[in-house]
């Protein structure tokens, strides 16, 4: 969980710096300190997580990661495709990324306490262009 939090903190810091930098001169450089670079390297690549199955803490498949949203509020959301048969007929829901457990000993992505029925009751995520 510490790796996930470190990864999220590094992304949030980089995004905050980037957004603040947009108001400044275009020539300003954004750099990571060596310690931050090492922490980022220990994290998870979005492409490696995309399309991975998500299970609950009972081991039941509840969805699949479809995408990630980087909110203007600094939060990161995982977009899950949820249905009885995960596939083209599923609907999308957005959940806070920090809710996912990525360091499960089984190597699975876990959303503790979730079920397909509970996720099915969440508002459908509609992507904007």
């Amino acid at each position: 969980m510490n790796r996930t939090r470190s990864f999220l903190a590094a992304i949030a810091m980089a995004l905050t710096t980037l957004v603040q930098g947009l108001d400044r001169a275009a020539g300003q450089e954004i750099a990571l300190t060596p310690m931050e670079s090492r922490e980022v390297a220990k994290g998870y690549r979005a492409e490696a997580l995309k399309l991975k199955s998500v299970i609950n803490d009972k081991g039941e498949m509840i969805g699949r990661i479809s995408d990630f949203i980087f909110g203007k509020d600094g939060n990161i959301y995982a977009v899950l495709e949820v249905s009885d048969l995960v596939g083209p007929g599923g609907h999308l829901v957005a959940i806070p990324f920090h809710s996912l457990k990525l360091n499960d000993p089984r190597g699975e992505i876990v959303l503790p306490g979730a079920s397909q029925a509970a996720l099915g009751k969440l508002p459908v995520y509609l992507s904007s262009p």
Side-chain angles (χ1 to χ4, degrees):
M1 195 65 171
N2 288 337
R3 277 201 306 189
T4 302
R5 287 187 184 170
S6 296
F7 173 72
L8 293 175
I11 287 177
M13 186 178 349
L15 287 174
T16 301
T17 303
L18 180 61
V19 169
Q20 290 172 348
L22 293 176
D23 294 334
R24 297 190 188 124
Q28 183 177 358
E29 290 186 31
I30 299 172
L32 296 175
T33 64
M35 181 178 157
E36 291 167 337
S37 296
R38 284 192 297 270
E39 286 304 312
V40 169
K42 294 177 190 176
Y44 300 91
R45 294 185 60 234
E47 284 299 315
L49 298 176
K50 201 169 177 181
L51 302 179
K52 285 252 194 181
S53 297
V54 178
I55 63 171
N56 61 17
D57 39 5
K58 296 177 184 176
E60 302 165 332
M61 184 168 156
I62 55 174
R64 184 177 312 277
I65 295 177
S66 174
D67 207 349
F68 299 95
I69 302 299
F70 298 89
K72 290 182 180 181
D73 59 1
N75 291 318
I76 301 169
Y77 302 90
V79 178
L80 301 183
E81 184 175 343
V82 183
S83 73
D84 290 336
L85 300 170
V86 175
H91 73 276
L92 302 176
V93 297
I95 61 159
F97 182 79
H98 66 81
S99 299
L100 296 173
K101 182 179 175 188
L102 301 177
N103 58 351
D104 181 73
R106 299 169 287 188
E108 303 282 353
I109 298 174
V110 180
L111 183 56
S115 67
Q116 279 190 346
L119 291 175
K121 293 177 183 176
L122 292 176
V124 173
Y125 169 75
L126 301 173
S127 63
S128 53

